[in-house]
Structures are given as C-alpha cells and as structure tokens.
Amino acid sequence: MDTTLVLIDFLLKKYAAEKKATMYVIEQLSDEDLMWAPAQGSNSIANLVAHIRGTVHQRIETVFLDVPDSRDRDKEFESGLQLSKEQALKLIADSFDRIIEVLKQASERPGLLLERPYADLPPLTNSGVDNQATVLEILLHQFRHLPAHTGQIVYIAKMRKGSIQW
C-alpha cells in the first residue's frame, strides 16, 4: 500500500466532507443571515466565505491552475459585505473543488506533493507558508486553515438561527 496515495485519499475525503457540511449549513440560511455579524467588528458568514474563496484563489488557483491573482484580502473583511445565498454556495463549492482538483492531480502524479510551486514567485504575504513550501505543506496548511473558518460559519449560523439541522 502506497502511503502517499492513502494520504491523498484521506485528504480528498476530508475536503469533500468539509465542502458538503459547509454547504449544508449555508443552505439553511437566508441572504440576511449571511450578512449578519454577531458583534460590531466581527466577521459575518459572507466575510468568511469571501475569505475562504480569496485564500483558495490566491494559494491554489494562481499556482496550480495558472489563474492571475486578483485577490483583495481587505475587501473580504469589510463590514457589510453583501453575498446572496446562491453566491455563497457557489464560492464555497468552487473553493473546495479547486483543492480537490489539485489532490486528484496529485493522485495521478504523487511526486507533485514534493514540488515547491511558490519558489520562483514574489514573497508570499498573509500566509502560513513561505515560498519554499511544498504542495503537501500548502494542502496541509489549507487543511488546518479552512476548517477553522468553516467552523466559524457553523457557529455564527447557530448564533443567528438558534440551531441548525445536521
């Protein structure tokens, strides 16, 4: 049994489950719920969705899918950020689908996990990884980072609604 393929399969399952759970929670919310923040200066679900999308765009799409970087990180955290439920669902789906796409590439070419895709790029900012990070380190960083925010989404949804269905 190839340990690398076991790890990739594990990550594929976990990212797919995180996507499904996050979308299930968002489906239970209204547009107004998405924009509600528990306190002044706190993030709304819309902010967290925009941040997840921005992170995946900048850290995954720009390197692995050759998409030009258009991220505006400050905008992700603006008070009153407007997103419809349909937009939020699409952004979450697209974000997790991009990561899953990279993992599928790695399952076909396991050596990808040891490549350093940022090595020749300008220094990274606002990142938990540096330019010497391997694809595996990037994916594991996202594995820690994104569920922290999806957990916040669940918590804010419960605050707003009182309870949510599982």
Side-chain angles (χ1 to χ4, degrees):
M1 179 182 295
D2 185 347
T3 306
T4 303
L5 294 178
V6 171
L7 173 64
I8 292 168
D9 186 56
F10 171 80
L11 290 172
L12 278 166
K13 288 176 185 170
K14 291 300 185 179
Y15 277 116
E18 196 71 24
K19 171 189 170 184
K20 181 180 177 182
T22 305
M23 292 182 69
Y24 187 68
V25 169
I26 291 172
E27 287 169 351
Q28 297 176 56
L29 304 174
S30 68
D31 292 356
E32 184 180 309
D33 294 334
L34 293 173
M35 294 176 278
W36 178 81
Q40 189 170 4
S42 294
N43 290 321
S44 67
I45 291 172
N47 292 123
L48 294 166
V49 168
H51 178 61
I52 288 169
R53 185 69 190 118
T55 298
V56 171
H57 165 69
Q58 190 172 53
R59 301 296 182 237
I60 303 294
E61 289 181 338
T62 59
V63 174
F64 299 103
L65 305 174
D66 203 26
V67 175
D69 185 8
S70 59
R71 184 179 188 193
D72 182 351
R73 190 175 187 279
D74 291 339
K75 187 174 182 175
E76 298 164 14
F77 297 105
E78 285 180 354
S79 179
L81 181 69
Q82 304 282 312
L83 277 183
S84 69
K85 180 181 359 185
E86 290 74 27
Q87 289 171 314
L89 289 167
K90 181 170 178 13
L91 291 174
I92 288 295
D94 287 350
S95 297
F96 282 96
D97 287 348
R98 295 302 77 78
I99 294 171
I100 290 167
E101 185 177 337
V102 170
L103 283 164
K104 287 180 179 178
Q105 289 176 21
S107 69
E108 295 169 8
R109 191 170 61 88
L112 173 68
L113 294 178
L114 299 178
E115 292 178 10
R116 289 184 162 81
Y118 299 138
D120 296 326
L121 298 177
L124 298 171
T125 58
N126 297 312
S127 180
V129 295
D130 63 20
N131 284 59
Q132 295 306 307
T134 64
V135 171
L136 178 59
E137 290 169 325
I138 294 162
L139 291 170
L140 291 175
H141 174 73
Q142 292 299 316
F143 185 69
R144 182 209 55 82
H145 183 86
L146 299 183
H149 293 310
T150 58
Q152 291 173 314
I153 289 170
V154 171
Y155 186 71
I156 293 170
K158 286 181 178 181
M159 289 176 71
R160 177 71 174 169
K161 301 301 266 184
S163 68
I164 54 175
Q165 298 296 314
W166 285 107

